[in-house]
Amino acid sequence: MSLPSVKVSENGRFLITEDGSPFFYLGDTAWELFHRLTLEEADLYLTVRSNQGFNVIQAVILAELDGLHTPNANGHIPLIGDDPTKPNEYYFRHVDSIIKLAEKKGIYMGILPTWGDKVHSELWGIGPAIFDRSNAYLYGKFLGERYRDFNNIIWILGGDRPGEGYEDIWTSMAKGISEGLGRKPIITYHPTGGQSSSQWFHNMEWLSFNMWQSGHCLVDAPNWDMIRSDYDKTPIKPVIDGEPNYEGHPIDPYLRKWKPEYGRFTDYEVRKQAYRAVFSGACGHTYGHHSVWQMYDERYKPTTFPSVYWYEAIYAPGAKQMIHLKNLLLSFPYFTRIPAQDMLIGITPPPSPKDIDDRINDKRASYPVATRDKEGSYALIYFTFANQTLNIDTSSLLGHVIKASWFDPRTGERYYIGEFSKGTLKFTSPLGGPDWVLILEV
C-alpha cells in the first residue's frame, strides 16, 4: 500500500494528504525504534499502534542512547568511523524495512536524521558532535535520495536541542534532504523542553510546521499558551506539541533528584495536555510513554526510572485513549476549526510556572480550553475536572437552539444532554471522569 504524501493545508493551519483529506497528526514517540528493536519486534509495536489509531511514529536514525557506537538489534552501527558521509548499508537496510513495514500498516514515520547531540553535545548527551555544514548537507542528500520513493515520511530535524548557534547546520541538512528528494519535503524541528522550532526557524522556507516540546518537568505545563503563541505568528504555519509529558514518566526528574513520592504522569495528565493543545489550535498531538521511547526491556540499561518493559507499556491506558481525540475532531468540519477561549466567561489564563517548586498549580490544573467552528456549527469545551461549572457564551454559534452532549475522552462515548436556547449557558461536568468534553451543536 502506497500512502499519499502529507502537506500543509491551504489556510496554513492544518496538515492534509495530497488528495485534500484532513490529516490529524496522531504521533507516538519511539525514538529508539530503529536502534533497539528487531524487525519482528517492530512489527509487534507498529501493529499495536496502528490498531490504536496512531498514524505517525517519531523515531531517530542516529539515536540518542549511544546510537553511533552501540550496535542496533542486528549488530550494526549506522556510520563507518563516525563519518556522516559513510553510512553503513546494513544498518540502513534495517531502517528501510521498518519504514516499509509502517507503510503497510498505514503509518507515517516522523524521521529524525539524528539526535541533537551529534550536532552539539556540550549541553548533555553522549555525542560525539560529528556534523558541520558540509557533511550535514551530504548526509541529508543521502537520506533524500535513499527515501525519494517513500511517501510516508515526515522529516524532523533537531532532536531535543535548541537551534541557536547551529542554524546553518540544520539548514544545510534540510537543503540536502530537499535536493536528494527532488522536491520540497514536509519538515519540522524538534526542540528541547519549553521551546519551539519557531524560535529559530519560523521564517525559514524549509520549515513546514512548528513543533513544541512542552516536556516532563511540570504537571500541567501550559502548552495551551505555547501552541497559541505559534498559532498567532505570521507567516501562518501549523503547530503541534511533539513531546509533551509521557505516560509513566517520573514527574520532574531533571531539575531535582526524583523521588517516588513525586509520582509519574498518568493517562489523565496525558489527556489534559493533548486536549488542551489541540483545542488551542494544534494540528494534532504526539503521545509518549516513558518505557516506549527508549524501548526499555531486559536487554537494556534503564534511562530515568522506567517502570515496565516496552512490550507491556504499549497497552497503557493513555495510548488506547488518544484515538478518541482524533475521531472527535474528524467528526466535525475540520478546516474551519479555531481556538475559542473567548466563549468561556470569567476564565483567565493561569500564571506560568516561575520555578521548580511551582510543579503543582491549581489554576493550571483546572484550566479549561474551548475550540469551535468559525462558521458557527459547533463548539467543543474541555472540562478538566468532574463537577466543574463553566459559563459559556454561545453567541458565536448559529441558530437559536443548541444541542448539548458530554463526550467521554476515555471511551469515546457521547451522552446527550438536551436542547437549550442560545445565550450564556451554564454546564457542570458529570461525576466520574475526571475530565469531559462538552459538545455544542446547532
Side-chain angles (χ1 to χ4, degrees), residues 322-358:
M322 289 295 104
I323 190 174
H324 305 315
L325 172 59
K326 182 176 78 169
N327 289 343
L328 175 66
L329 272 294
L330 291 173
S331 69
F332 292 100
Y334 193 79
F335 299 114
T336 51
R337 182 175 63 84
I338 61 173
Q341 208 63 2
D342 57 345
M343 293 183 69
L344 306 183
I345 298 172
I347 301 296
T348 57
S352 295
K354 294 181 174 58
D355 53 51
I356 63 172
D357 291 321
D358 191 16

Side-chain angles (χ1 to χ4, degrees), residues 17 50 90 119 137 149 160 209 215 219 235 350 362 376 378 397-398 406 418:
T17 56
S50 177
Y90 295 102
V119 172
Y137 167 78
D149 296 329
D160 201 23
F209 65 99
V219 177
D362 289 342
Y378 73 91
L397 300 182
L398 295 172
W406 289 112

Side-chain angles (χ1 to χ4, degrees), residues 174-219:
K175 181 180 179 183
I177 292 171
S178 180
E179 293 190 5
L181 288 170
R183 62 182 183 274
K184 186 178 186 299
I186 184 155
I187 188 166
T188 187
Y189 182 94
H190 171 247
T192 193
Q195 294 183 313
S196 168
S197 57
S198 66
Q199 293 175 233
W200 315 283
F201 303 113
H202 184 77
N203 292 316
M204 296 286 189
E205 186 178 353
W206 59 261
L207 189 85
S208 308
F209 65 99
N210 280 307
M211 179 175 282
W212 275 90
Q213 180 187 161
S214 61
H216 321 286
C217 290
L218 293 169
V219 177

Side-chain angles (χ1 to χ4, degrees), residues 71-91:
N72 68 6
N74 298 326
H76 304 300
I77 58 174
L79 305 175
I80 307 302
D82 290 348
D83 186 344
T85 68
K86 296 179 179 179
N88 181 348
E89 175 65 18
Y90 295 102
Y91 183 94

Side-chain angles (χ1 to χ4, degrees), residues 61-73:
I61 294 178
L62 307 183
E64 175 183 10
L65 301 179
D66 198 25
L68 291 180
H69 303 140
T70 297
N72 68 6

